[in-house]
Amino acid sequence: MLNIYNSLSQSKETFKPIKPGKVSMYVCGITIYDYSHIGHARTFVSFDVIARYLRYSGYDLTFIRNITDIDDKIIARANENKESIHELTARFEKIMHEDFDSLGMIKPDIEPKATESINEIIEIIQTLMDKGFAYQGEDGDIYYHVPKFEDYGKLSKQNLEALQAGERVGVASDKKSPMDFVLWKMAKPEEPSWSSPWGEGRPGWHIECSAMSKKCLGDHFDIHGGGSDLQFPHHENEIAQSEAANGCCFANTWIHTGMVQVDKEKMSKSLNNFFTIREVLALYRSESVRYFMLSSHYRSQLNYSEENLKAADASLERLYLSLRDLDLSNLPEVSTDSDYLAKFKQAMDDDFNTPEAMAVLFELAKEINRAKSTDLERALLLAAELIELGGVLGILQQSPEAFLKSSSSGEDSDDSRIGQLIAERNQARADKNWARADEIRDQLQAEGVVLEDKAGETVWRRE
RNA sequence: GGCUGGAUGGCAGAGUGGUUAUGCAGCGGACUGCAACUCCGUGGACGCCGGUUCGAUUCCGACUCCAGCCUCCA
């Protein structure tokens, strides 16, 4: 039985889909105008595992992850670059897909874009106008009138009075209430715009997600997710828009991921302390980066550091080492009543507890290592389980040799040269010239290549 | 100031009202020319103060500290 922590109720709830056997999930994607950073990676790897586990559990999942491709920052960046917003967003969309692929993320079923949902956006705004939840200011912009929505604050546990007390001063506008937010913004000259019943303009920040989730999943769906920094105001505003417009419930379960920290501070663009996915993938193996993302629970903060990334790589190396020297081409069928599978599921059923689930992977690795020398059949069965469970987390799907010989940076030292040095070293060993043998090993070690002398042969791997 | 969440062994990170998390690092042993890999064994922990309890790291309350949101943010 799957239990998920719901931000709405602030507690773990037994998950019950609206339609038995089916799950609809909408995850807020990125506003696209720059390279994606490690914080994005953390959130989307988390939802990737959630999606995989829902499917592994037998649910028929529809997974939506949007792209917000119109927004003030996009316009500003495109102007800086002297290019169109479409050129800018198309370029970074391609980069984002490459980065996400590198991290082993499965693709969402639909990846809607704000600019391809303008009709739906206008429809919702019109409904909100008709129902009296929205109004047009003197500047022509359309605003959502927050005090009109009684449940405002139910997700972020804020109340309007407190929010207004904390409101920063000096915001001059013709809003009726300081908490009101823009649904439709009138276009300034030379800004990209679409025609609407209220004039040429573009959508405000929050409305596109209400429109895209409705377009893809309908008024009422199972799971809505995103980074915890979106909980307020973005998700709160989505609820206000969608529930008011649709006159009914919106998402049942809200899932929020913890932020990535650098030196105990949130990684963010405004603090300029972020690492892009590209930068990090140049330093560490991509699968190790993914492993790192899953090594702590998705709701807790994750501290980015060289030490932690190296530890993740070493841990993953241990798992792959256990699979080495086994014939993985012909794996036996995994038995459904395996204790390890049961333990793994129990961990994942408890709000997707990946650290606990990964502990099961290490138990399997240890058992495989033991069984290798005593009971090869058992070792293979356990290896099949390890690979299957790894697959649920999106790891351990390459051959051990491929992982162990891969390097973090693209600049591999030459494999054939490594082979030559090993041959030379083995000649030295045969001659009992230990000094020369150790010299070669030290030299390779300095290049990040580790040698292991097995019976009859010497194998190598990169670390 | 308001609202959330957190504080676990050298590091990372789960979990539990009484019994081994797990990984890395350490220590002892086996294996090895020496290593590496692997196995066997092993030390080390629950921020602080009270309360509940036969017993609390785990429940309750206060305190201290840390982080997130309240402006753009994954």
Side-chain angles (χ1 to χ4, degrees):
Chain A
M1 204 161 47
L2 176 60
N3 286 283
I4 305 178
Y5 183 89
N6 187 351
S7 304
L8 260 182
S9 65
Q10 296 170 286
S11 60
K12 286 181 196 171
E13 297 172 354
T14 298
F15 178 67
K16 205 163 164 278
I18 297 164
K19 291 182 193 157
K22 291 187 187 293
V23 177
S24 42
M25 177 163 82
Y26 182 94
V27 174
C28 282
I30 63 174
T31 300
I32 193 148
Y33 63 94
D34 206 344
Y35 289 96
S36 299
H37 58 66
I38 284 299
H40 298 122
R42 203 285 171 95
T43 289
F44 300 120
V45 165
S46 296
F47 284 106
D48 181 70
V49 167
I50 288 171
R52 285 169 188 262
Y53 188 66
L54 287 168
R55 292 202 171 118
Y56 181 73
S57 301
Y59 289 111
D60 176 14
L61 170 72
T62 305
F63 173 28
I64 315 296
R65 188 186 64 214
N66 76 285
I67 294 176
T68 295
D69 59 349
I70 176 68
D71 143 280
D72 289 356
K73 288 195 168 172
I74 294 172
I75 294 170
R77 182 63 60 89
N79 285 341
E80 270 171 44
N81 294 355
K82 297 188 172 31
E83 62 184 334
S84 72
I85 63 161
H86 182 71
E87 283 167 332
L88 175 73
T89 57
R91 187 152 46 89
F92 281 110
E93 182 185 332
K94 183 165 173 283
I95 288 167
M96 177 192 81
H97 283 139
E98 287 168 6
D99 289 347
F100 286 12
D101 287 349
S102 299
L103 291 171
M105 293 185 212
I106 52 176
K107 297 199 182 312
D109 296 295
I110 309 174
E111 194 168 58
K113 292 181 196 159
T115 57
E116 292 169 3
S117 312
I118 299 292
N119 289 342
E120 289 82 0
I121 289 170
I122 290 172
E123 261 175 54
I124 294 195
I125 298 175
Q126 187 62 59
T127 306
L128 290 170
M129 290 288 275
D130 295 345
K131 290 190 172 182
F133 283 95
Y135 60 94
Q136 188 160 30
E138 292 193 4
D139 51 10
D141 290 358
I142 307 293
Y143 294 96
Y144 186 96
H145 191 44
V146 168
K148 169 97 176 161
F149 186 71
E150 280 182 13
D151 278 346
Y152 196 81
K154 70 176 172 181
L155 178 66
S156 53
K157 319 302 164 197
Q158 301 278 352
N159 64 67
L160 267 184
E161 295 78 57
L163 280 169
Q164 284 172 12
E167 175 79 2
R168 308 201 176 187
V169 290
V171 187
S173 81
D174 36 357
K175 292 185 202 174
K176 286 186 189 170
S177 156
M179 293 311 299
D180 292 355
F181 56 91
V182 177
L183 296 169
W184 189 261
K185 221 170 184 169
M186 288 302 124
K188 298 194 184 86
E190 314 221 353
E191 277 184 354
S193 66
W194 292 262
S195 59
S196 80
W198 318 284
E200 286 283 313
R202 61 189 150 92
W205 175 34
H206 315 289
I207 193 66
E208 85 282 12
C209 280
S210 283
M212 287 185 273
S213 62
K214 183 185 173 85
K215 177 183 175 180
C216 299
L217 298 174
D219 292 353
H220 187 203
F221 54 95
D222 294 301
I223 297 173
H224 192 132
S228 55
D229 54 351
L230 296 184
Q231 192 165 351
F232 188 90
H234 183 59
H235 289 160
E236 199 70 69
N237 290 354
E238 271 188 64
I239 290 174
Q241 293 163 345
S242 292
E243 293 195 1
N246 300 333
C248 87
C249 34
F250 186 41
N252 280 356
T253 304
W254 286 83
I255 299 179
H256 290 102
T257 55
M259 297 290 102
V260 173
Q261 320 256 135
V262 181
D263 297 330
K264 305 219 167 163
E265 254 189 332
K266 178 183 161 186
M267 182 183 288
S268 73
K269 299 242 168 148
S270 42
L271 288 169
N272 202 34
N273 61 349
F274 63 92
F275 294 86
T276 67
I277 295 174
R278 299 235 144 166
E279 289 168 334
V280 175
L281 288 181
L283 298 172
Y284 307 98
R285 297 189 258 222
S286 56
E287 194 172 336
S288 302
V289 177
R290 183 182 172 93
Y291 180 100
F292 167 65
M293 303 292 168
L294 300 175
S295 63
S296 74
H297 185 86
Y298 76 84
R299 276 193 284 120
S300 58
Q301 295 171 335
L302 178 64
N303 197 45
Y304 178 87
S305 72
E306 182 181 336
E307 195 186 2
N308 292 348
L309 263 297
K310 282 187 170 163
D313 187 69
S315 299
L316 190 55
E317 192 171 75
R318 175 168 166 81
L319 294 177
Y320 269 117
L321 280 168
S322 76
L323 293 172
R324 195 174 57 175
D325 303 327
L326 291 171
D327 177 13
L328 304 176
S329 61
N330 203 0
L331 286 171
E333 188 94 358
V334 169
S335 151
T336 49
D337 61 357
S338 150
D339 289 345
Y340 295 105
L341 257 68
K343 264 183 100 169
F344 180 91
K345 283 183 188 167
Q346 195 180 5
M348 291 298 283
D349 274 343
D350 183 16
D351 197 29
F352 313 105
N353 193 334
T354 51
E356 201 179 331
M358 289 201 298
V360 178
L361 268 38
F362 286 99
E363 286 175 31
L364 272 165
K366 175 163 262 187
E367 271 308 298
I368 292 168
N369 285 330
R370 283 192 191 123
K372 265 181 188 170
S373 55
T374 57
D375 184 349
L376 207 55
E377 205 175 319
R378 177 169 158 75
L380 278 172
L381 177 66
L382 295 170
E385 293 185 12
L386 178 54
I387 290 169
E388 174 168 320
L389 296 181
V392 179
L393 302 178
I395 58 173
L396 300 178
Q397 299 305 294
Q398 45 183 327
S399 80
E401 282 305 293
F403 175 82
L404 293 167
K405 286 189 161 59
S406 68
S407 69
S408 41
S409 70
E411 296 164 37
D412 290 7
S413 43
D414 186 350
D415 287 11
S416 66
R417 192 181 64 93
I418 293 170
Q420 282 165 18
L421 285 169
I422 288 173
E424 188 188 338
R425 175 169 169 274
N426 281 338
Q427 185 56 54
R429 289 173 68 216
D431 299 342
K432 298 206 189 305
N433 182 354
W434 308 126
R436 177 58 186 151
D438 290 351
E439 186 185 19
I440 292 171
R441 188 170 61 198
D442 291 347
Q443 184 189 336
L444 285 170
Q445 173 77 57
E447 297 172 24
V449 174
V450 180
L451 300 189
E452 295 177 35
D453 297 326
K454 319 275 269 196
E457 62 164 345
T458 297
V459 298
W460 63 273
R461 65 188 152 87
R462 289 200 171 86
E463 64 174 12

